[in-house]
Amino acid sequence: MSLNCKTSGLNGRLLTRSKMRKPLRGCYSGWKWKRLFLFVWVLVVIGFGLSLFSGVFRKKMETCEDNSLVLVEQFNNVSKDLLHEVASSFFESDQITTLNCTKQFGNKKSTKHEISCTLKVPDHEHNAELWGQCPVHDDKAPVVQSSSVHEKLARDDNDILKVCMWALFIIALCSPIRCLWMNRKGKMKKTEHAQSSSRSGGKWMKKLLVVFVLAGVSLSIWLFWYLNKGIQLRREETLESMCDERARMLQDQFNVSMNHVHALAILVSTFYHGKQPPAIDQETFGEYTERTSFERPLTSGVAYALRVRHFEREKFEKEHGWTIKKMETEDQDQTLAQDCDPENLDPSPVHDEYAPVILSQDTVSHIVSIDMMSGKEDRENILRARASGKGVLTSPFKLLKSNHLGVVLTFAVYKTHLLPDTTPEQRIKATVGYLGASYDVPSLVDKLLHQLASKQTIVVNVYDTTNVSAVIRMYGPEEIDTGLLHVNSLDFGDPARKHEMHCRFKQRPSLPWTAILASGGVLIITCLLGHIFYVAINRIATVEHDYREMMKLKTRAEAADVAKSQFLATVSHEIRTPMNGVLGMLQMLMDTNLDAKQLDFAQTAHSSGKDLIKLINEVLDQAKIESGRLELEAVPFELHTILDDVLSSFSTKSQEKRIELAVYVSNQLPEIVVGDPVRFKKIITNLVANSHKFTHDRGHIFVSVHLADEVTRETDMKDDMLRRILNGSKSNLACDTLSGLPVVDRKKSWENFENLSCKDSINEFGKIKILVTVEDTGVGIPIDAQSRIFMPFMQADSSPSRTYGGAGIGLSISKRLVGLMDGEIGFVSEPGTGSTFSFTAVFMKKETCSLDTVVQQCHPAISEFWGLRALVIDRKDIRAGVTRYHLQRMGISVEITSDFDSARSFLSESDSSGFAIILVDQEVWDKESGLAFLRGLKSSTKLFLLANSISPTINGEIKSANLTATFVEKPLRLSVLISCFQEKLPAGNNRVVARKPSTLGDLLRDKRILVVDDNIVNRRVAEGALKKYGAIVTCVDSGKAALERLKPPHSFHACFMDLQMPEMDGFEATRQIRRLESTFNIEIKSAEVGHWHTPILAMTADVIQATDEQCTKCGMDGFVSKPFEEEQLYSAAACFFESG
């Protein structure tokens, strides 16, 4: 059998000038987008409502399906297999039994029918026919479906959805009113007639607004009433549905259990009374009932009582060997108790007949021999059961074992098959015994509700209402009034007993928030729309005035926008113009004969001016980085010079904090590379500045540059310094570092790089990848802050009370610049030990050319030190290696020793030439040994003390001994060493620095160049810079003068033209010059003369990209920014002139 349940259910660019949109006339364009947005919003709300409705409906369908599955699982019938199993226990194993069952259909509208089964045993003289009324469900019987609840819910949900849609539709219709009225109002104001119509229209709109508000309030009140009523109705229907569901399932499960008990009665009739001798005894009955107890999970025990008349009592008692006992009380509480002892009971008094228990389940074996008719109520139930032929229930009683209320179901057992129309007298005559089973009603209901545990929002009570004046509560807690109550009648198969199920919600209903929110929302929307329209009506009169004011403000804003777009270029130009004169004059000063100290002063001033220019460039670079428009340069530069400039920038600060600051460049790197030196220097500067900020006294900052391939090579192929550094990081010895303090393992800073080697790029494209490492002994980066270290404007300590300042953008800019250079950046940090940052960058190799010589001769005095020998005394190998690196750049051969004793051996073993220079680190100095060593030096040998800061004590000790030593302040760099050596070496202080030889002379010599600039200082600077390289320079102060000079034919080879000049700027002058050249070229087209084109280079302090594009557009050939730089001037001139 099966039961089927069927249901129904910044956008990435930095703009220098922004254009304002033109104001829209009227409000149609603005409201067009608002109406579109409102329409989309309405569609979303409707879709949400539909999805919510379908979700609720699907939920109800799933509920019905779950209930059907639970009912199917619990719906057990007396199967053929069970009867076969029973039959096999009563016959021999080799006998074959056959079971034929027929179904007798009852009423078409009923799902209960009668089943008759006939058991046939071969070679047996009696064939038993089992008959009974088994209320079983037929899967083919018609199922009455109740869909009224779902239909009502669907109708209610549809009604609510319609109300919401109407409300939104009204709002959507009202939204264009303001726009339409404003357009109408604007047109009316054009004439006097329109003004009077506007006032009358305003009054009409106010009256309409009042009507609209009243309608909205009425709608909100009606909506609250409607939704609240629907909520109450759905709550009642939900309670009714849940209670009906539980009542139906409880009744069905009880009927199924009755079927099993009735089937057991039929078996007893067949195999106990239908066989001689009986095929069932107590052992067989107990074993069978125990094995089939799973078919009766709600019964606490079953027993069979034989019908014994009074004249048969004596014979019966002799056959069974015990006396028929009387129940101790008429209450069955004690009868079915497990601790009841029949030996302690009195014999049953004399009656017409008795019903002693002869067969029982092991769980109630103590009731054997007890007369089940000795109790008044039990006697009446038994008599009623045998007369009716149906199951009879007792009134509820307490089961001692579980203390639950239970009932006893009794079936009469007949000796023959009885037809349905058998009279009660015939049934009584055919009765041979009674089969009873006790039921634990609370357990039955608990099991049912446990299956529906996820849906237990109601409280269920089961009552026996047979006696209306004394109702017995069989299950459930004390009833508490929570509002709604639903009552279902229960039919347990006994018409004499009445039972009811009462259902209530566990909690009182909450406030109808749906109705409150919906009606409140309509009321709020009505009030808001009313307020909006009211304000719109009152403000329409001022719209035209506001529009005129807006047009005036628009004109001013456009002017301000133009001014703002030119601000950055103007500021850059105005700063660069005087700086051009300062730097130009300093450059001309450095080209004169200066001694070493004067040259150092001039170079420092020149470097500071260039730093200011670089600061302006950095501001522009930052904007370009943010907009993604930064383009890297590709110019030749020297790595050593870049690092020396970084040291110079931080020398004063490091001396103040007594920090050891040093750089080292591997000898395996080329002298010249092609790339962007400004951005490369900026990366290193940012990293050094970051390390300097977090490094305390006595620590160190060490910048080292190597080929990226070096770290992956074998040990013997690495640079000596790199090999010493990596070995020191493995041993982690303090003496193996620059300052003696422990450092982190720098290898971890690049271990996550994806492409550390660049061998393929070197061989195929002529590229090299360098690895730059910045090591410090600072405080380190906290572990929790290391993941955000490269985020812009983020710091390890971002609290207002942080110890270290800064904007927190340097590392972010560095990372992005490294990415532009096709490199990677990483770091390793340990709090309390320090940090190490490493990054890679890809550059082009530069072949040897004339510019290399220029760069190498930035310090012309280097040639004077070639061939000298120097001795370095330092206990720390890495620090001594840094000193040797700087000396070797000057062409000096270097020996290293760790103390004065070994230094004396070097001096004694040296040849006649000896050491010209001895450099001693201040940390090695000892008064006694140091002075003794100093006294033993030759007069031609000079001693230099290297120190972060000059020690007055050591200086006093040397002077008191009438000895001489020169202090050299760290950080060491080439310019400092040259200045010190020139001052102290035998050549004396009168040495002069030779003029810097010209490298552009071959390009510009004897070239006639016209310089056009309205500023006399700029003209002098440009004239001096070009004449230095042999050019013949002519200067004019205006664009008109340039136009006269460059009218073809003329004798000038090139023109350097300023852009911003009075009367005629450089753009207009260039356009007119190009027109003159074009006309001239047309005239000489037939002659054998070449194409006439004078190279014109823009000369301005404005470096905005738009200016560069404008120069190209007007016909200029190049761009040279002020102040002039040798490399830039060379690059611009090389495009037009061939070297001589």
Side-chain angles (χ1 to χ4, degrees), residues 554-715:
K554 171 185 172 293
T555 304
R556 296 176 185 176
E558 287 179 344
D561 184 60
V562 172
K564 183 179 67 174
S565 65
Q566 294 178 351
F567 174 76
L568 190 59
T570 302
V571 170
S572 173
H573 181 272
E574 294 302 324
I575 295 177
R576 282 173 171 267
T577 298
M579 285 305 301
N580 180 44
V582 173
L583 295 180
M585 292 302 177
L586 286 174
Q587 184 64 49
M588 294 172 66
L589 177 63
M590 288 189 294
D591 290 335
T592 62
N593 293 332
L594 302 176
D595 60 25
K597 185 174 293 187
Q598 291 171 337
L599 180 60
D600 186 59
F601 291 159
Q603 288 175 343
T604 303
H606 188 267
S607 177
S608 299
K610 293 177 66 176
D611 288 339
L612 181 56
I613 295 297
K614 291 172 183 176
L615 179 60
I616 300 173
N617 293 336
E618 287 178 356
V619 175
L620 300 176
D621 286 348
Q622 175 63 24
K624 291 180 181 179
I625 288 175
E626 294 297 330
S627 63
R629 296 169 55 192
L630 179 66
E631 297 180 1
L632 298 181
E633 296 180 350
V635 297
F637 68 95
E638 187 185 20
L639 291 172
H640 306 279
T641 305
I642 294 294
L643 294 175
D644 282 350
D645 291 342
V646 173
L647 290 180
S648 299
S649 302
F650 292 93
S651 60
T652 303
K653 295 181 180 179
S654 62
Q655 291 168 3
E656 292 174 354
K657 296 181 69 173
R658 294 186 176 183
I659 295 175
E660 189 89 21
L661 178 60
V663 298
Y664 177 83
V665 179
S666 172
N667 55 14
Q668 299 186 18
L669 281 169
E671 292 287 336
I672 305 297
V673 294
V674 178
D676 193 329
V678 177
R679 275 74 185 209
F680 180 68
K681 178 183 176 182
K682 185 176 182 63
I683 298 172
I684 300 177
T685 301
N686 287 342
L687 296 179
V688 173
N690 187 70
S691 297
H692 189 275
K693 182 169 60 174
F694 296 101
T695 303
H696 299 305
D697 296 349
R698 305 296 181 183
H700 75 259
I701 301 173
F702 185 29
V703 182
S704 59
V705 185
H706 297 83
L707 278 175
D709 294 331
E710 285 190 66
V711 298
T712 59
R713 294 176 183 173
E714 298 295 334
T715 303

Side-chain angles (χ1 to χ4, degrees), residues 231-332:
I231 291 173
Q232 293 178 356
L233 179 62
R234 287 194 298 274
R235 185 176 174 87
E236 293 175 0
E237 291 175 344
T238 301
L239 180 63
E240 178 182 354
S241 174
M242 296 177 70
C243 194
D244 291 346
E245 178 185 27
R246 285 155 177 75
R248 183 175 63 254
M249 294 184 67
L250 177 62
Q251 183 172 302
D252 290 345
Q253 288 198 13
F254 194 87
N255 290 338
V256 169
S257 183
M258 288 179 61
N259 293 341
H260 293 297
V261 176
H262 197 182
L264 188 60
I266 295 174
L267 292 179
V268 172
S269 172
T270 302
F271 297 106
Y272 185 84
H273 295 284
K275 303 293 184 293
Q276 293 297 331
I280 299 178
D281 54 10
Q282 171 60 35
E283 181 179 358
T284 303
F285 186 84
E287 180 181 357
Y288 173 74
T289 54
E290 184 67 27
R291 290 174 60 185
T292 60
S293 60
F294 67 91
E295 297 280 0
R296 303 176 304 280
L298 303 179
T299 60
S300 58
V302 293
Y304 174 66
L306 187 66
R307 181 184 181 186
V308 178
R309 296 175 177 80
H310 180 67
F311 66 87
E312 299 173 337
R313 176 175 180 174
E314 182 176 359
K315 179 180 178 183
F316 175 82
E317 290 178 344
K318 287 182 180 180
E319 288 179 356
H320 290 79
W322 40 259
T323 305
I324 300 175
K325 305 295 183 181
K326 174 189 175 184
M327 289 186 182
E328 185 176 356
T329 64
E330 292 187 358
D331 244 351
Q332 290 191 5

Side-chain angles (χ1 to χ4, degrees), residues 499-544:
H499 301 84
E500 291 181 353
M501 176 181 287
H502 293 191
C503 300
R504 292 180 182 270
F505 283 107
K506 288 185 177 180
Q507 297 178 351
R508 288 184 174 275
S510 59
L511 293 175
W513 289 110
T514 302
I516 293 174
L517 294 176
S519 59
V522 172
L523 182 61
I524 291 173
I525 292 173
T526 302
C527 295
L528 288 176
L529 289 176
H531 175 73
I532 292 171
F533 293 146
Y534 178 76
V535 172
I537 293 172
N538 290 336
R539 290 181 62 89
I540 284 176
T542 61
V543 169
E544 290 295 331

